[in-house]
Amino acid sequence: MLERPRGRLRPLLLLFLLCLVTLALGRRVWADEVLTLEKALALAEAHNGQIVAAREQVRQAEAVSRGAASKMGPKLDASVAVIRYNEEPRKAVVGGGGGYIQDSFKETWKAALTLTQILYSGGTLQANLQASRLEAEGLRSQELRTVQSVRNAVCSAYFGFQQARATLVVAEEAIALAAEHKKDAESLFNNGLVAKNELLRAQVALSDAELDRIRAANAVNTARKALERTVGVAFEPATVFPEPLVDLPEFALPELVEAEKKALVFRPELKALESSRGAAEFLARAAAGQAKPQVALEVEASDVGDSFYPDVQDQWKVTLAAQWRLFDSGEVRANVDKARSAAAEVLARMDDLRHQISLEVSTARLDLDSALQRLRVATDQVALAEEDHRMALKRYKAQVGTNLDVLDAQVALTNSRTQLVLAVYDAFQADADLTYAIGDEPLAPMEGDAPVE
């Protein structure tokens, strides 16, 4: 027979049950929440590993900067030392008949406080501090670009998922059209108005539509997994997504020259490289400062005795030390040349990046322009295909049209609807890529990105 839990275990069990209930409620709320693009972006900023790693790099750089600043301030050290000799330490007395006197205790204890301050470093410490601050600023710019990159990847995955869902809707509509035509062909065949081969062709068309639906459903599942991977969290099976769009709000198509100018101002990579160039120049100054005198001040107060709490001899001393390396076999010059070469390298990389930015902005804008043109053509194509299918179906039912006309009209209608879906989400993707190429503020959620009632 099982024993009842003891008193100390009951609070733990209650806490465990409370956690389970909270988790269950949280999961249920999450499952009922509509996962819009904006919420997917917020999840990615909190959970994506690239963003988390970039933030930690910034924290590391900030810690390095604080460490560089601390080297310019005073240092206070406390020390305790004990020295034990195998015999009483003595030293010889010169003159006065010679002999020896006790030099120290056989067991000597020393407690001391030492204050150290760098007074002059040739500008090395100040330059290192400025270089570390610029490196941290550069990493902040890289972090911003990482966030933009992840957001663009999330948009791509989200648009791909919604596009797959819209394609699945088109495939299901194609099945409905094929099933309706099969029903009409079967009715005509049963009445002896058409040959059996027309019924068979209609059944084959329905099977093809079902195969397309299976492939579309698999594409939806694959796109969902890709979205989860990009966001960095797994969604609940019952997570609700907005209905996919079949039309597109108007996009503002910026002028190419203005877009390129804007990108040269906003792109974080350029700011990061500018910070790296400044840091390299300060590192060159820091290296050059090592060839100048180094001056330090040290103040020590100590207490010496023969016990753990020494109190026999109190003393203090002040040391002002200056060191100047007169010859270093070219070490300082080599470090200066290295830092200056790094600054020149960054300048070359900045020039190349400007050309790359111009190419990216031009490509993204052309893609958006092309997608919008395709959208207009696809919209008209769908309207024409729907009318053609309606007429082909009526002609077939009236036996003045052929079975092949209906099947061709079905294929044309399905293709036109698919092309419309592709054009819609290609336009969304192109707009996101253009925003990413410019390096503008993070994307706003799609207009109309809401569930259909």
Side-chain angles (χ1 to χ4, degrees):
M1 188 175 190
L2 295 177
E3 296 182 358
R4 297 178 61 185
R6 297 183 179 180
R8 289 185 297 178
L9 294 179
R10 291 178 182 174
L12 295 178
L13 291 176
L14 291 176
L15 180 61
F16 178 72
L17 292 175
L18 180 61
C19 291
L20 288 179
V21 172
T22 303
L23 180 60
L25 290 175
R27 292 168 68 93
R28 186 176 64 187
V29 170
W30 169 249
D32 294 339
E33 187 177 5
V34 177
L35 185 63
T36 61
L37 174 60
E38 184 180 23
K39 293 175 182 176
L41 293 172
L43 284 173
E45 289 195 21
H47 299 283
N48 186 275
Q50 298 180 39
I51 294 179
V52 174
R55 288 172 181 165
E56 292 303 323
Q57 286 183 337
V58 172
R59 291 191 179 97
Q60 294 173 30
E62 291 173 346
V64 171
S65 180
R66 293 195 301 270
S70 68
K71 292 182 180 180
M72 300 175 61
K75 304 292 187 296
L76 181 62
D77 298 310
S79 62
V80 177
V82 58
I83 304 173
R84 184 177 181 83
Y85 298 92
N86 61 337
E87 58 183 19
E88 294 289 343
R90 298 178 299 169
K91 67 178 180 179
V93 178
V94 180
Y100 296 90
I101 62 173
Q102 183 175 346
D103 182 40
S104 181
F105 305 105
K106 186 176 182 179
E107 183 176 274
T108 302
W109 290 82
K110 178 181 179 180
L113 286 176
T114 305
L115 177 67
T116 306
Q117 173 66 56
I118 302 295
L119 299 181
Y120 180 71
S121 66
T124 298
L125 296 182
Q126 293 84 349
N128 281 330
L129 175 59
Q130 293 298 327
S132 65
R133 287 175 176 173
L134 286 172
E135 289 174 354
E137 186 64 30
L139 285 175
R140 291 189 193 97
S141 297
Q142 293 180 15
E143 178 195 5
L144 175 59
R145 191 54 177 171
T146 299
V147 172
Q148 292 178 352
S149 177
V150 170
R151 291 177 69 90
N152 182 255
V154 171
C155 287
S156 299
Y158 192 90
F159 296 150
F161 175 63
Q162 292 293 77
Q163 186 182 76
R165 294 180 66 209
T167 304
L168 178 59
V169 173
V170 172
E172 291 172 346
E173 291 174 347
I175 290 179
L177 293 177
E180 180 183 358
H181 177 58
K182 173 181 171 294
K183 182 179 178 180
D184 293 338
E186 188 174 15
S187 176
L188 293 174
F189 171 72
N190 292 335
N191 291 322
L193 298 177
V194 298
K196 187 173 183 180
N197 69 308
E198 294 193 9
L199 175 59
L200 295 177
R201 286 291 302 274
Q203 291 174 339
V204 170
L206 179 59
S207 298
D208 287 340
E210 179 61 28
L211 291 175
D212 291 340
R213 189 202 65 80
I214 294 173
R215 284 190 288 267
N218 181 68
V220 170
N221 294 330
T222 303
R224 179 188 175 107
K225 289 298 181 182
L227 178 59
E228 291 178 348
R229 168 64 182 86
T230 307
V231 171
V233 295
F235 305 140
E236 291 292 333
T239 300
V240 180
F241 292 90
E243 289 296 325
L245 300 178
V246 294
D247 55 3
L248 193 70
E250 290 294 328
F251 281 112
L253 193 62
E255 292 295 332
L256 180 58
V257 176
E258 294 299 324
E260 291 180 355
K261 289 181 179 179
K262 195 175 181 181
L264 293 177
V265 174
F266 287 156
R267 282 290 285 263
E269 301 101 310
L270 283 174
K271 298 177 182 179
L273 287 178
E274 179 62 30
S275 298
S276 297
R277 184 190 64 80
E281 291 179 351
F282 275 109
L283 288 176
R285 297 184 190 180
Q290 295 176 357
K292 299 178 181 180
Q294 312 291 310
V295 182
L297 174 67
E298 180 179 292
V299 179
E300 179 183 281
S302 61
D303 201 353
V304 181
D306 58 352
S307 63
F308 183 75
Y309 299 100
D311 57 0
V312 176
Q313 182 179 4
D314 298 331
Q315 63 183 12
W316 60 271
K317 65 177 181 177
V318 178
T319 304
L320 181 64
Q323 180 179 354
W324 193 351
R325 180 169 294 175
L326 301 179
F327 181 72
D328 63 354
S329 300
E331 179 182 358
V332 170
R333 172 52 55 186
N335 291 333
V336 172
D337 291 344
K338 177 182 177 182
R340 289 177 177 172
S341 177
E345 175 195 355
V346 173
L347 282 176
R349 291 170 58 191
M350 290 176 65
D351 185 64
D352 181 71
L353 179 59
R354 291 189 182 95
H355 294 294
Q356 180 64 28
I357 289 174
S358 178
L359 175 61
E360 292 176 1
V361 172
S362 299
T363 302
R365 187 190 177 280
L366 289 173
D367 288 343
L368 178 57
D369 190 17
S370 174
L372 293 177
Q373 293 181 32
R374 288 167 47 210
L375 177 62
R376 288 191 288 269
V377 173
T379 302
D380 295 338
Q381 185 182 22
V382 168
L384 295 173
E386 288 176 347
E387 180 63 17
D388 179 57
H389 177 264
R390 185 187 66 81
M391 293 176 61
L393 200 59
K394 291 186 67 173
R395 286 167 57 86
Y396 180 69
K397 290 180 180 179
Q399 283 297 285
V400 294
T402 65
N403 184 44
L404 186 59
D405 293 337
V406 177
L407 296 177
D408 288 344
Q410 287 181 3
V411 172
L413 179 56
T414 300
N415 288 339
S416 63
R417 287 174 174 173
T418 302
Q419 290 302 317
L420 177 60
V421 168
L422 295 178
V424 167
Y425 285 98
D426 284 352
F428 275 121
Q429 182 61 59
D431 182 65
D433 289 341
L434 181 57
T435 302
Y436 177 65
I438 294 176
D440 205 346
E441 293 299 321
L443 295 170
M446 296 187 300
E447 295 182 15
D449 189 9
V452 176
E453 297 294 339

